[in-house]
Amino acid sequence: MASTKTKSRPLVLCGPSGSGKSTFLSKLMTDFPNRFGFSVSHTTRKPRPGEKEGDHYHFTDRESIKKAIDAGDFIESAEFSGNIYGTSKKAVETVCEKGKICILDIDIQGVKQVRNTHLQPWYIFLMPPSLEVLENRLKSRNTETEKSLKLRLETAAKEIEYGTTPGNFDFIVINDNLEHAYSQLKGFIEGNVLKEENNINDVQIA
Ligand code: ADP
Ligand code: 5GP
Protein backbone atom coordinates (compact mmCIF):
# COMPACT_ATOMS: atom_id res chain seq x y z
CA MET A 1 0.00 0.00 0.00
CA ALA A 2 1.37 3.42 -0.92
CA SER A 3 -0.07 6.73 0.08
CA THR A 4 -0.68 9.42 -2.46
CA LYS A 5 -0.82 13.19 -2.13
CA THR A 6 -3.52 14.80 -4.19
CA LYS A 7 -3.16 18.45 -5.17
CA SER A 8 -4.44 20.64 -2.32
CA ARG A 9 -7.35 23.01 -2.72
CA PRO A 10 -6.05 26.60 -2.55
CA LEU A 11 -7.48 29.25 -0.26
CA VAL A 12 -8.76 32.53 -1.65
CA LEU A 13 -8.71 35.45 0.76
CA CYS A 14 -10.77 38.36 -0.52
CA GLY A 15 -12.04 41.57 1.03
CA PRO A 16 -11.97 45.31 0.52
CA SER A 17 -8.64 47.08 0.60
CA GLY A 18 -7.91 47.74 4.27
CA SER A 19 -10.12 44.91 5.55
CA GLY A 20 -7.06 43.16 7.01
CA LYS A 21 -6.04 40.54 4.43
CA SER A 22 -2.28 41.15 4.75
CA THR A 23 -2.56 41.20 8.55
CA PHE A 24 -4.38 37.85 8.59
CA LEU A 25 -2.05 36.34 6.00
CA SER A 26 1.01 37.10 8.04
CA LYS A 27 -0.63 35.62 11.17
CA LEU A 28 -1.51 32.47 9.23
CA MET A 29 2.03 32.14 7.89
CA THR A 30 3.39 32.47 11.43
CA ASP A 31 0.98 29.90 12.87
CA PHE A 32 1.23 27.39 10.00
CA PRO A 33 4.63 27.97 8.36
CA ASN A 34 4.73 24.53 6.73
CA ARG A 35 1.14 24.28 5.59
CA PHE A 36 0.55 27.47 3.62
CA GLY A 37 2.41 29.35 0.90
CA PHE A 38 1.54 32.73 -0.57
CA SER A 39 0.82 33.15 -4.26
CA VAL A 40 2.98 36.15 -5.15
CA SER A 41 0.95 38.27 -7.56
CA HIS A 42 2.20 40.68 -10.17
CA THR A 43 1.21 44.34 -9.93
CA THR A 44 1.88 47.58 -11.75
CA ARG A 45 1.55 49.62 -8.57
CA LYS A 46 4.66 50.97 -6.90
CA PRO A 47 6.08 49.15 -3.86
CA ARG A 48 5.09 50.50 -0.45
CA PRO A 49 7.82 51.05 2.13
CA GLY A 50 8.87 47.63 3.37
CA GLU A 51 7.47 45.68 0.40
CA LYS A 52 10.02 43.45 -1.28
CA GLU A 53 10.15 42.28 -4.89
CA GLY A 54 9.17 38.60 -5.09
CA ASP A 55 8.01 38.56 -1.51
CA HIS A 56 4.86 40.71 -1.39
CA TYR A 57 4.52 41.18 -5.16
CA HIS A 58 6.39 40.96 -8.43
CA PHE A 59 6.47 44.62 -9.40
CA THR A 60 6.10 45.17 -13.10
CA ASP A 61 4.83 47.63 -15.71
CA ARG A 62 1.67 47.70 -17.81
CA GLU A 63 3.34 46.72 -21.05
CA SER A 64 5.10 43.67 -19.60
CA ILE A 65 2.11 42.34 -17.69
CA LYS A 66 -0.22 42.83 -20.66
CA LYS A 67 2.18 40.89 -22.86
CA ALA A 68 2.39 38.06 -20.33
CA ILE A 69 -1.40 37.98 -19.93
CA ASP A 70 -1.81 37.78 -23.72
CA ALA A 71 0.73 34.96 -23.78
CA GLY A 72 -1.52 32.99 -21.41
CA ASP A 73 0.82 33.11 -18.41
CA PHE A 74 -1.88 34.28 -15.98
CA ILE A 75 -4.73 32.48 -14.22
CA GLU A 76 -6.55 35.75 -13.64
CA SER A 77 -5.93 39.48 -13.77
CA ALA A 78 -7.79 42.68 -12.96
CA GLU A 79 -7.58 46.44 -12.96
CA PHE A 80 -7.92 47.72 -9.40
CA SER A 81 -7.65 51.33 -8.26
CA GLY A 82 -5.72 52.35 -11.37
CA ASN A 83 -3.29 49.42 -11.45
CA ILE A 84 -3.21 45.94 -12.96
CA TYR A 85 -2.88 42.93 -10.65
CA GLY A 86 -2.66 39.29 -11.63
CA THR A 87 -1.93 35.75 -10.50
CA SER A 88 0.54 33.99 -12.75
CA LYS A 89 0.32 30.23 -13.28
CA LYS A 90 3.88 30.07 -11.99
CA ALA A 91 2.97 31.80 -8.71
CA VAL A 92 0.50 29.05 -7.85
CA GLU A 93 2.71 26.23 -9.17
CA THR A 94 5.65 27.42 -7.06
CA VAL A 95 3.61 26.97 -3.87
CA CYS A 96 2.03 23.67 -4.94
CA GLU A 97 5.43 22.20 -5.84
CA LYS A 98 6.46 22.70 -2.21
CA GLY A 99 3.44 20.63 -1.12
CA LYS A 100 1.85 23.64 0.55
CA ILE A 101 -1.70 24.99 0.38
CA CYS A 102 -1.66 28.06 -1.84
CA ILE A 103 -3.23 31.28 -0.51
CA LEU A 104 -4.40 33.83 -3.07
CA ASP A 105 -5.06 37.41 -1.92
CA ILE A 106 -7.19 38.67 -4.81
CA ASP A 107 -10.04 41.07 -5.48
CA ILE A 108 -13.62 40.23 -6.48
CA GLN A 109 -12.88 40.42 -10.22
CA GLY A 110 -10.16 37.83 -9.68
CA VAL A 111 -12.52 35.63 -7.65
CA LYS A 112 -15.01 35.62 -10.51
CA GLN A 113 -12.30 34.47 -12.93
CA VAL A 114 -10.90 31.83 -10.58
CA ARG A 115 -14.41 30.32 -10.36
CA ASN A 116 -14.01 29.36 -14.03
CA THR A 117 -10.78 27.44 -13.48
CA HIS A 118 -10.01 23.95 -12.22
CA LEU A 119 -8.57 25.31 -8.93
CA GLN A 120 -11.71 24.81 -6.80
CA PRO A 121 -10.44 26.84 -3.85
CA TRP A 122 -11.99 27.63 -0.51
CA TYR A 123 -13.35 31.17 -0.65
CA ILE A 124 -13.03 33.38 2.44
CA PHE A 125 -14.31 36.95 2.62
CA LEU A 126 -12.92 39.42 5.11
CA MET A 127 -15.26 42.25 6.12
CA PRO A 128 -14.55 45.52 7.89
CA PRO A 129 -16.98 46.25 10.76
CA SER A 130 -18.17 49.34 8.83
CA LEU A 131 -17.11 51.57 5.94
CA GLU A 132 -16.22 54.26 8.47
CA VAL A 133 -13.81 51.94 10.31
CA LEU A 134 -12.39 50.83 6.96
CA GLU A 135 -11.69 54.44 6.00
CA ASN A 136 -9.98 55.11 9.34
CA ARG A 137 -7.81 51.99 9.03
CA LEU A 138 -6.79 52.83 5.48
CA LYS A 139 -5.96 56.39 6.50
CA SER A 140 -3.90 55.19 9.49
CA ARG A 141 -2.02 52.74 7.27
CA ASN A 142 -0.77 55.81 5.48
CA THR A 143 -0.19 54.11 2.13
CA GLU A 144 -2.77 55.80 -0.09
CA THR A 145 -3.01 59.09 -1.88
CA GLU A 146 -6.28 60.99 -1.60
CA LYS A 147 -7.24 59.67 -5.05
CA SER A 148 -6.41 56.02 -4.39
CA LEU A 149 -8.13 56.16 -0.99
CA LYS A 150 -11.30 57.45 -2.65
CA LEU A 151 -11.17 54.75 -5.34
CA ARG A 152 -10.60 52.00 -2.77
CA LEU A 153 -13.51 53.15 -0.61
CA GLU A 154 -15.86 53.42 -3.60
CA THR A 155 -14.93 49.89 -4.63
CA ALA A 156 -15.34 48.59 -1.06
CA ALA A 157 -19.11 49.09 -0.99
CA LYS A 158 -19.55 47.00 -4.17
CA GLU A 159 -17.18 44.33 -2.88
CA ILE A 160 -19.09 44.02 0.40
CA GLU A 161 -22.32 43.58 -1.53
CA TYR A 162 -20.83 40.74 -3.57
CA GLY A 163 -18.99 39.27 -0.59
CA THR A 164 -22.10 39.02 1.56
CA THR A 165 -24.34 37.60 -1.17
CA PRO A 166 -25.25 34.08 -0.03
CA GLY A 167 -23.38 31.39 -1.93
CA ASN A 168 -20.46 33.54 -3.04
CA PHE A 169 -18.10 32.64 -0.17
CA ASP A 170 -17.58 29.62 2.07
CA PHE A 171 -16.85 31.73 5.12
CA ILE A 172 -17.18 35.40 6.07
CA VAL A 173 -15.13 36.95 8.88
CA ILE A 174 -15.91 40.38 10.33
CA ASN A 175 -12.61 41.93 11.31
CA ASP A 176 -13.66 43.90 14.38
CA ASN A 177 -11.44 42.85 17.25
CA LEU A 178 -8.32 41.43 15.61
CA GLU A 179 -7.72 38.47 17.93
CA HIS A 180 -11.39 37.48 17.96
CA ALA A 181 -11.68 37.71 14.17
CA TYR A 182 -8.45 35.80 13.65
CA SER A 183 -9.54 33.00 15.99
CA GLN A 184 -12.72 32.64 13.90
CA LEU A 185 -10.69 32.38 10.71
CA LYS A 186 -8.28 29.93 12.30
CA GLY A 187 -11.19 27.83 13.54
CA PHE A 188 -12.65 27.63 10.06
CA ILE A 189 -9.30 26.72 8.56
CA GLU A 190 -8.52 24.04 11.12
CA GLY A 191 -12.04 22.60 11.01
CA ASN A 192 -12.39 22.60 7.24
CA VAL A 193 -9.37 23.41 5.07
CA LEU A 194 -6.73 21.51 7.06
CA LYS A 195 -9.16 18.73 8.02
CA GLU A 196 -9.96 18.03 4.37
CA GLU A 197 -6.29 18.26 3.48
CA ASN A 198 -5.32 15.73 6.19
CA ASN A 199 -8.03 13.33 5.01
CA ILE A 200 -6.79 13.58 1.43
CA ASN A 201 -3.25 12.84 2.49
CA ASP A 202 -4.41 9.81 4.47
CA VAL A 203 -5.92 8.16 1.39
CA GLN A 204 -4.23 4.88 0.68
CA ILE A 205 -3.97 3.54 -2.84
CA ALA A 206 -3.31 -0.14 -3.38
P1 ADP B 1 -5.53 44.72 3.45
O1 ADP B 1 -4.34 43.81 3.29
O2 ADP B 1 -6.84 43.99 3.38
O3 ADP B 1 -5.51 45.90 2.55
P2 ADP B 1 -4.27 45.38 6.03
O4 ADP B 1 -3.97 44.04 6.59
O5 ADP B 1 -3.14 46.17 5.43
O6 ADP B 1 -5.48 45.30 4.96
O7 ADP B 1 -5.00 46.23 7.16
C1 ADP B 1 -5.28 47.62 6.98
C2 ADP B 1 -4.82 48.38 8.23
O8 ADP B 1 -5.69 48.05 9.31
C3 ADP B 1 -3.41 48.01 8.66
O9 ADP B 1 -2.76 49.19 9.11
C4 ADP B 1 -3.64 47.03 9.83
O10 ADP B 1 -2.59 47.07 10.75
C5 ADP B 1 -4.95 47.53 10.41
N1 ADP B 1 -5.81 46.48 11.00
C6 ADP B 1 -6.07 45.26 10.50
N2 ADP B 1 -6.94 44.59 11.29
C7 ADP B 1 -7.25 45.43 12.31
C8 ADP B 1 -8.10 45.32 13.46
N3 ADP B 1 -8.83 44.25 13.71
N4 ADP B 1 -8.16 46.38 14.29
C9 ADP B 1 -7.45 47.51 14.05
N5 ADP B 1 -6.62 47.67 12.99
C10 ADP B 1 -6.53 46.64 12.13
P1 5GP C 1 -2.99 46.41 -2.65
O1 5GP C 1 -2.61 47.43 -3.65
O2 5GP C 1 -3.66 47.00 -1.43
O3 5GP C 1 -1.86 45.47 -2.30
O4 5GP C 1 -4.08 45.46 -3.33
C1 5GP C 1 -5.25 46.02 -3.85
C2 5GP C 1 -6.26 44.94 -4.19
O5 5GP C 1 -5.71 44.10 -5.20
C3 5GP C 1 -6.63 44.01 -3.02
O6 5GP C 1 -8.01 43.85 -3.02
C4 5GP C 1 -5.96 42.71 -3.35
O7 5GP C 1 -6.68 41.60 -2.89
C5 5GP C 1 -5.99 42.76 -4.87
N1 5GP C 1 -4.99 41.90 -5.50
C6 5GP C 1 -3.71 41.65 -5.13
N2 5GP C 1 -3.13 40.78 -5.96
C7 5GP C 1 -4.07 40.45 -6.87
C8 5GP C 1 -4.08 39.57 -7.99
O8 5GP C 1 -3.14 38.89 -8.33
N3 5GP C 1 -5.25 39.51 -8.70
C9 5GP C 1 -6.35 40.23 -8.38
N4 5GP C 1 -7.45 40.07 -9.12
N5 5GP C 1 -6.38 41.06 -7.33
C10 5GP C 1 -5.25 41.17 -6.59
Side-chain angles (χ1 to χ4, degrees):
M1 298 270 270
S3 73
T4 185
K5 191 165 164 60
T6 319
K7 240 187 197 166
S8 310
R9 280 177 73 186
L11 193 86
V12 163
L13 191 55
C14 183
S17 173
S19 60
K21 299 179 299 296
S22 309
T23 306
F24 279 52
L25 265 167
S26 96
K27 285 173 88 63
L28 279 175
M29 294 301 181
T30 304
D31 284 354
F32 305 98
N34 301 317
R35 304 303 300 270
F36 295 107
F38 181 51
S39 158
V40 182
S41 294
H42 282 65
T43 182
T44 60
R45 86 153 161 73
K46 296 279 165 277
R48 293 176 185 146
E51 283 186 337
K52 286 196 198 103
E53 163 59 36
D55 192 352
H56 298 87
Y57 280 109
H58 296 291
F59 297 98
T60 183
D61 56 76
R62 294 187 85 87
E63 198 189 332
S64 309
I65 195 169
K66 278 186 170 171
K67 229 189 237 174
I69 291 166
D70 288 347
D73 297 345
F74 280 68
I75 292 169
E76 61 77 34
S77 62
E79 179 103 25
F80 184 95
S81 184
N83 287 297
I84 302 175
Y85 296 79
T87 307
S88 69
K89 290 177 180 168
K90 197 171 165 216
V92 174
E93 278 163 15
T94 302
V95 176
C96 293
E97 276 163 11
K98 292 181 189 149
K100 294 184 175 180
I101 300 171
C102 185
I103 304 187
L104 288 84
D105 169 348
I106 55 174
D107 83 326
I108 296 284
Q109 303 168 78
V111 166
K112 290 177 182 169
Q113 293 167 55
V114 167
R115 285 194 199 289
N116 297 323
T117 67
H118 67 282
L119 285 177
Q120 294 194 298
W122 292 94
Y123 292 98
I124 295 176
F125 190 71
L126 196 51
M127 283 263 290
S130 67
L131 284 174
E132 197 187 5
V133 171
L134 183 72
E135 180 169 357
N136 288 337
R137 286 186 188 161
L138 271 177
K139 279 181 178 162
S140 328
R141 193 174 70 184
N142 217 12
T143 51
E144 306 310 314
T145 61
E146 209 171 297
K147 189 178 163 201
S148 78
L149 178 74
K150 189 168 173 276
L151 277 172
R152 281 165 193 253
L153 289 171
E154 280 168 7
T155 309
K158 289 178 223 149
E159 290 173 314
I160 290 170
E161 196 186 329
Y162 180 83
T164 52
T165 300
N168 281 349
F169 284 84
D170 297 308
F171 193 59
I172 300 175
V173 191
I174 300 172
N175 183 12
D176 197 339
N177 171 277
L178 182 60
E179 291 314 318
H180 177 66
Y182 179 66
S183 76
Q184 286 186 318
L185 174 69
K186 202 172 163 182
F188 176 81
I189 286 176
E190 285 173 335
N192 297 275
V193 182
L194 292 177
K195 197 169 172 194
E196 181 185 79
E197 173 79 3
N198 293 340
N199 289 341
I200 285 170
N201 290 339
D202 282 348
V203 168
Q204 300 286 318
I205 301 224

